[in-house]
Amino acid sequence: EGKFDHEAMHHYVNVVKALRERGIEPMVTLWHFTNPVWFAEKGGFINVDSPKIFTRYVKYVVENLRDRVGLWITFNEVGTVYTYYSYINGLWPPHSRNIFKINKLWGNFSKAHILAYQEIKKIYSVPHLSILTNDMSHNVEVGLVEANAHVVFGNALYQKLIGKLFNYYRNLNFFKKTFPYYDFLGLNYYKIDRMPGSYTVLPKQEFVAEKGWEIFPKGIYYRLMELKKFKKPIYITENGIADGKDELREKFIKEHLRWVWQAIHDGADVRGYLYWSLLDNFEIIHAYKAKFGLVEVDFKTFERKIRPSAYEYAKICRDNMMQIYE
């Protein structure tokens, strides 16, 4: 507790340096589910001191990366995914299954975000000379990320009334607690969640990926139009498909981007899109079985192979940049 691994920090300094040298804008997430053991043993974010402890960590990281990072995310999916898996169904640590802790959890997460937001802004407000890169102080942005599946209810009336209210409340609950302490909102979108009887409202969709997810590209449009109401810039911080055979990914990307374009056309202030993920990665419950990567990774040899869908995605990115500069 209170000690940091400077060698690990130096690794991340080199990562963001390498990104910038290649013309890539780093977006850094400060917390993505995992906690130090000593912090978990103190109750994690149930602990009343957790906002202060988290802010100490944020200060250390941001002071080390501020020269090359202008986009920060404090928390990833705390109001939806983390709460559900850790405190409702108990599959993730701390395996609690205690819904009575959720209000305290959300309250501490909200306080931690606000303190972190203020600390980051404070760090960047101090004049800072860097011989390594341009000073980032004038354009630093701090945001929050939530995951929102497209929830389909049991009949058309419920979908119209309860479904719309439910989907908006998921965002409102956490974003309202932290307002106005964010400069952008992040959306992670992947799939459909169904309630009993919902196939009468929305037929079974075409793609079911390795994780058993039912894919509905238009859902990203609905989620973006809900976030539009918060009148903040939006980044799609995760959108992807587990597809080791690379049979579905190209269509998945193109159809989701089509609906992102429609949302922009209809007034959503979408500033960026990040496919999840560049490399095949470690998924908490599924380990290395779910192949999300644009790049295939052999986890025995660490050999990397670019999948065909990655070239199609690169083509979309290049064509888009050409249109911008034209």
Side-chain angles (χ1 to χ4, degrees):
E1 180 178 357
K3 296 181 180 180
F4 298 96
D5 187 330
H6 302 300
E7 185 178 346
M9 189 72 255
H10 185 65
H11 164 75
Y12 285 105
V13 171
N14 287 335
V15 168
V16 296
K17 179 182 177 183
L19 289 171
R20 287 216 165 269
E21 287 172 349
R22 288 158 177 81
I24 299 171
E25 178 78 24
M27 177 180 273
V28 177
T29 300
L30 289 159
W31 184 91
H32 196 124
F33 303 142
T34 53
N35 291 323
V37 173
W38 64 264
F39 181 66
E41 289 173 347
K42 287 177 176 285
F45 281 94
I46 296 297
N47 188 326
V48 67
D49 293 325
S50 58
K52 182 172 61 177
I53 296 169
F54 178 72
T55 305
R56 179 180 61 192
Y57 151 76
V58 169
K59 183 175 187 293
Y60 174 76
V61 174
V62 174
E63 285 180 341
N64 276 275
L65 296 181
R66 64 163 289 175
D67 290 337
R68 298 181 178 88
V69 178
L71 293 169
W72 294 94
I73 295 166
T74 53
F75 291 108
N76 176 74
E77 303 178 343
V78 299
T80 48
V81 176
Y82 180 73
T83 298
Y84 177 74
Y85 282 109
S86 294
Y87 288 89
I88 296 177
N89 78 356
L91 279 175
W92 294 1
H95 312 290
S96 181
R97 290 191 178 182
N98 189 336
I99 62 172
F100 298 105
K101 293 181 179 179
I102 290 175
N103 276 336
K104 183 182 290 187
L105 183 76
W106 283 0
N108 286 338
F109 270 127
S110 300
K111 291 174 187 176
H113 167 78
I114 292 169
L115 286 177
Y117 179 93
Q118 292 171 330
E119 184 64 38
I120 294 169
K121 293 293 185 175
K122 179 182 174 182
I123 290 169
Y124 280 83
S125 70
V126 176
H128 180 74
L129 295 175
S130 172
I131 60 173
L132 299 174
T133 188
N134 294 328
D135 182 56
M136 307 291 297
S137 60
H138 298 296
N139 59 357
V140 63
E141 296 177 22
V142 184
L144 273 172
V145 169
E146 280 295 354
N148 287 315
H150 180 69
V151 179
V152 188
F153 285 81
N155 63 54
L157 180 62
Y158 281 179
Q159 187 65 30
K160 188 174 182 179
L161 300 177
I162 300 174
K164 201 167 185 179
L165 188 63
F166 172 80
N167 283 314
Y168 183 59
Y169 179 76
R170 283 185 304 176
N171 295 313
L172 183 65
N173 187 53
F174 197 53
F175 293 155
K176 188 174 181 181
K177 285 178 181 291
T178 52
F179 184 84
Y181 298 98
Y182 44 80
D183 305 311
F184 65 86
L185 298 175
L187 169 66
N188 296 349
Y189 176 81
Y190 292 94
K191 63 184 178 74
I192 288 174
D193 283 341
R194 287 189 179 273
M195 300 298 176
S198 63
Y199 289 103
T200 60
V201 178
L202 183 69
K204 187 174 181 179
Q205 297 301 294
E206 181 179 1
F207 295 146
V208 178
E210 288 169 12
K211 291 183 75 171
W213 288 350
E214 191 177 359
I215 307 303
F216 183 54
K218 192 176 181 180
I220 200 169
Y221 171 83
Y222 293 133
R223 303 290 77 75
L224 288 170
M225 297 312 290
E226 288 163 3
L227 291 180
K228 173 188 170 186
K229 298 172 185 176
F230 290 94
K231 298 181 180 179
K232 291 283 186 179
I234 304 164
Y235 289 91
I236 297 157
T237 40
E238 291 183 26
N239 177 236
I241 185 169
D243 178 23
K245 295 181 179 178
D246 204 41
E247 296 172 340
L248 311 175
R249 188 172 288 104
E250 178 184 339
K251 185 174 183 179
F252 177 97
I253 292 172
K254 288 180 177 178
E255 291 196 351
H256 281 81
L257 287 177
R258 170 177 171 262
W259 284 109
V260 172
W261 176 89
Q262 187 63 51
I264 294 171
H265 182 75
D266 292 341
D269 186 10
V270 180
R271 301 290 179 89
Y273 171 92
L274 290 82
Y275 174 82
W276 182 275
S277 57
L278 174 64
L279 305 173
D280 286 338
N281 64 294
F282 179 85
E283 291 280 310
I284 293 180
I285 300 174
H286 301 272
Y288 297 106
K289 293 179 182 179
K291 308 296 185 182
F292 279 95
L294 292 165
V295 177
E296 178 184 356
V297 179
D298 184 324
F299 287 102
K300 292 181 180 178
T301 65
F302 292 103
E303 180 185 5
R304 301 178 182 186
K305 295 179 181 178
I306 299 174
R307 290 188 167 111
S309 58
Y311 291 106
E312 287 298 314
Y313 182 45
K315 185 175 183 295
I316 293 168
C317 296
R318 284 194 298 268
D319 291 347
N320 184 57
M321 290 304 296
M322 287 176 65
Q323 290 178 19
I324 291 171
Y325 285 114
E326 286 173 2

